[in-house]
């Protein structure tokens, strides 16, 4: 298990706060589906080309960065 992981709900809250700070986004925040799709596209093989080392830990029910 990773040393620390971030739940989808925590990511949604963080992102919603940040987009509000910039004056963009929806009043009700970002949707769960949008965050999941964004993560999917940032991971290796996604369309963004980021190749972000993001994994999901079912046991911890959270996302984490693969280091190494």
């Amino acid at each position: 298990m990773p040393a620390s992981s971030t739940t989808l709900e925590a990511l949604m809250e963080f992102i919603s706060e940040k987009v509000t700070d910039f004056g963009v986004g929806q009043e009700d925040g970002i949707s769960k589906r949008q965050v999941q799709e964004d993560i999917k596209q940032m991971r290796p093989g996604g369309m963004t080309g980021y190749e972000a080392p993001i994994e999901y830990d079912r046991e911890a029910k959270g996302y984490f960065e693969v280091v190494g």
Side-chain angles (χ1 to χ4, degrees):
M1 180 163 70
S4 78
S5 63
T6 303
T7 65
L8 185 59
E9 291 75 19
L11 284 171
M12 290 171 57
E13 183 178 331
F14 178 81
I15 294 166
S16 293
E17 288 174 9
K18 293 302 176 187
V19 296
T20 300
D21 290 349
F22 287 105
V24 297
Q26 301 173 353
E27 287 183 23
D28 56 350
I30 192 166
S31 72
K32 180 177 182 177
R33 183 174 179 207
Q34 184 63 57
V35 174
Q36 289 173 317
E37 185 62 26
D38 288 351
I39 290 170
K40 177 182 170 185
Q41 294 305 324
M42 288 188 290
R43 292 172 72 180
M47 295 176 64
T48 63
Y50 285 122
E51 302 294 316
I54 301 170
E55 295 291 335
Y56 182 76
D57 183 331
R58 289 182 188 265
E59 187 176 311
K61 296 183 180 177
Y63 291 89
F64 65 97
E65 177 183 7
V66 179
V67 180

